[in-house]
Amino acid sequence: MSDPGWRAWASEHRIDLVLFAFSLFAYALSSGSLLAQQSQAPHFVYQADAFLRGQLHLAARPPNLNDWVLEGGRWYVSFPPFPAVLMMPFVAFEGLSFNDVAFTLPFAAANVALFYRLLRRIQQVEGGGRSAWDHAVFALVFGFGTLAWSCSIRGEVWFTAEVVGVTLTLLYLQAALRAQHPVLAGAALGCATITRAPLALSGVFFLIEAVVDGGRVGQANLRAALRDPQRRKKLLQRLALFALPIAAVGLAMAWMNLARFGSPGEFGHARMYANRVNPDIRAYGLFSFHYLERNLRSAFLLLPKLQLHPFRLDYDPNGMSLFLTTPLFLLTFFPREKPRLWAPLWITAAAVALPGFFYQNNGYVQFGFRFSLDYTPHLVALLALGARPLDGLFWLLALFGFAVNAWGAAAFNRP
């Protein structure tokens, strides 16, 4: 006899489950031949294998020389390791042949459902007039009208990290809403940081929510939080609980970096073997104003290329304007309403975005500016919160975005 509790849960989350099932099917179908085998950048698989052997360096020579680190005669993976930790049970059974493409797809599909659930949760707590249908539309916009589509279907260390980072971001935002679940928020943020380092800066969302305590961002609210003894005590308790799991994750990561590269803050990105950007890193470092112009072009100005011989439209592997890949982002500048979360989400999106514009790598090779996926959930949430109707302009921009990203899913870096 089936559990009535399970049936009640399934009934309550039926839209979430439909979104997950549909997205998983669509992503698998879009992945096509990519899904049939391990990707060309299975770094997390090799890192998981090393962890299972109780070591930090690889047990086998990497399958290629693309973005691996050779240090002291040993090969390492410099990318933050949380996706590799998640892969460990699967690699324990399948070894180095584990398919990282198949691993990534369920996380990508879960992101669509989790985004829907985040919007429903925000409306439950903050109020609003959107229907479940509206929120499902915005979830599908996130999943198929942004770079999430082309990033979700190929595995590879760079894109798997982006996808898992989104999963953790969506869990974090739900827990951090009104700072109601500080331990869960801290755990999600800590794991997100050791998936995609820029996500550490999304901690500003919890800090704002803890300080304003259900109010709006402003000096008056800040002064009240600091002067009222009860609010100050509540704030300090929340921040302490939030910081505990982050500190635990951070200490483990610092030890790993120290053991590998002699410094707790050194992931190894500046030590990659025969990397095309090594001369830039030696000249300007990992972060510099020198990279700003190039990264802004990749994010906002680059357009597809029209080739005449043969005649075809091709994408620029350095990037593509976000207003072309997701033209709905333009509507975030023209909201009908600015609810309480408007400022916290904009501040958080800006904080997460900022490091990418000064980073030595613009994301090449990519279809669109892939680093934007770190803050795409915040931007689509702002679009939903702006209270603009799902009118003809909305659907025109949405369908254009779907078409562009369908092209990306079909064309990007196919064998």
Side-chain angles (χ1 to χ4, degrees):
M1 184 175 180
S2 61
D3 181 6
W6 164 254
R7 287 185 300 195
W9 182 91
S11 176
E12 181 182 355
H13 293 86
R14 61 188 181 278
I15 297 178
D16 314 54
L17 295 172
V18 170
L19 286 170
F20 173 79
F22 169 78
S23 300
L24 185 61
F25 173 78
Y27 284 152
L29 190 65
S30 304
S31 186
S33 61
L34 297 174
L35 183 55
Q37 58 193 352
Q38 186 181 80
S39 79
Q40 297 298 307
H43 295 56
F44 289 132
V45 176
Y46 279 69
Q47 192 171 44
D49 176 73
F51 291 163
L52 289 167
R53 296 171 185 272
Q55 60 193 49
L56 300 177
H57 61 278
L58 304 189
R61 183 179 174 85
N64 52 56
L65 298 180
N66 191 7
D67 282 1
W68 305 84
V69 175
L70 181 62
E71 186 79 7
R74 292 175 168 177
W75 290 97
Y76 295 93
V77 174
S78 66
F79 298 95
F82 189 67
V85 174
L86 296 177
M87 283 188 187
M88 287 172 65
F90 307 101
V91 175
F93 281 101
E94 296 192 27
L96 292 176
S97 64
F98 177 61
N99 188 331
D100 56 319
V101 184
F103 171 85
T104 306
L105 292 183
F107 285 94
N111 289 343
V112 180
L114 285 171
F115 189 83
Y116 168 81
R117 184 49 48 190
L118 173 65
L119 294 182
R120 299 305 290 170
R121 175 64 177 160
I122 289 174
Q123 184 158 299
Q124 179 185 14
V125 173
E126 301 290 327
R130 294 283 192 193
S131 66
W133 160 252
D134 289 347
H135 287 155
V137 168
F138 284 110
L140 291 171
V141 164
F142 170 77
F144 298 94
T146 73
L147 296 175
W149 193 351
S150 58
C151 288
S152 293
I153 62 174
R154 52 187 312 101
E156 300 184 345
V157 61
W158 316 281
F159 303 103
T160 295
E162 292 281 3
V163 169
V164 175
V166 169
T167 305
L168 293 164
T169 292
L170 293 170
L171 294 173
Y172 162 70
L173 289 174
Q174 285 203 50
L177 185 61
R178 296 210 174 192
Q180 289 183 335
H181 303 287
V183 175
L184 294 177
L189 182 63
C191 294
T193 301
I194 61 169
T195 300
R196 286 279 303 152
L199 296 178
L201 295 176
S202 65
V204 69
F205 183 80
F206 183 89
L207 297 180
I208 293 172
E209 287 291 272
V211 169
V212 302
D213 198 25
R216 286 183 173 267
V217 175
Q219 290 185 357
N221 217 330
L222 176 60
R223 286 196 296 267
L226 296 177
R227 292 176 179 176
D228 185 328
Q230 290 186 335
R231 282 190 63 177
R232 189 166 62 244
K233 180 181 178 181
K234 183 180 179 181
L235 172 62
L236 292 175
Q237 288 176 339
R238 284 175 164 177
L239 293 179
L241 292 172
F242 178 62
L244 280 174
I246 295 175
V249 172
L251 287 172
M253 191 71 247
W255 169 83
M256 181 175 170
N257 289 339
L258 182 65
R260 295 184 301 172
F261 306 123
S263 171
E266 176 60 73
F267 282 87
H269 273 31
R271 303 167 183 243
M272 287 185 180
Y273 183 80
N275 194 290
R276 66 180 179 86
V277 296
N278 283 348
D280 277 350
I281 294 173
R282 286 192 292 268
Y284 305 103
L286 285 174
F287 294 90
S288 171
F289 277 97
H290 175 77
Y291 308 124
L292 179 60
E293 185 271 339
R294 181 198 61 191
N295 289 331
L296 288 175
R297 286 183 66 251
S298 295
F300 299 114
L301 300 178
L302 290 182
L303 300 175
K305 300 175 179 179
L306 182 63
Q307 295 188 7
L308 299 178
H309 303 289
F311 184 82
R312 69 174 184 176
L313 189 66
D314 203 0
Y315 62 90
D316 188 323
N318 285 289
M320 190 184 303
S321 172
L322 289 172
F323 300 122
L324 185 62
T325 55
T326 308
L328 278 171
F329 285 159
L330 291 167
L331 298 185
T332 60
F333 299 106
F334 306 99
R336 295 285 178 87
E337 298 177 7
K338 293 182 179 179
R340 188 189 71 82
L341 288 177
W342 188 259
L345 283 171
W346 264 121
I347 292 169
T348 305
V352 175
L354 194 61
F357 293 121
F358 296 93
Y359 188 50
Q360 50 82 17
N361 183 6
N362 65 349
Y364 178 95
V365 174
Q366 59 190 345
F367 180 87
F369 190 63
R370 64 179 172 89
F371 293 151
S372 67
L373 200 56
D374 291 335
Y375 44 92
T376 291
H378 308 79
L379 297 180
V380 182
L382 284 164
L383 185 65
L385 292 175
R388 290 188 64 94
L390 305 189
D391 56 10
L393 177 61
F394 174 92
W395 285 110
L396 177 65
L397 296 177
L399 292 173
F400 187 88
F402 286 141
V404 171
N405 288 285
W407 171 38
F412 172 42
N413 210 21
R414 290 283 178 170

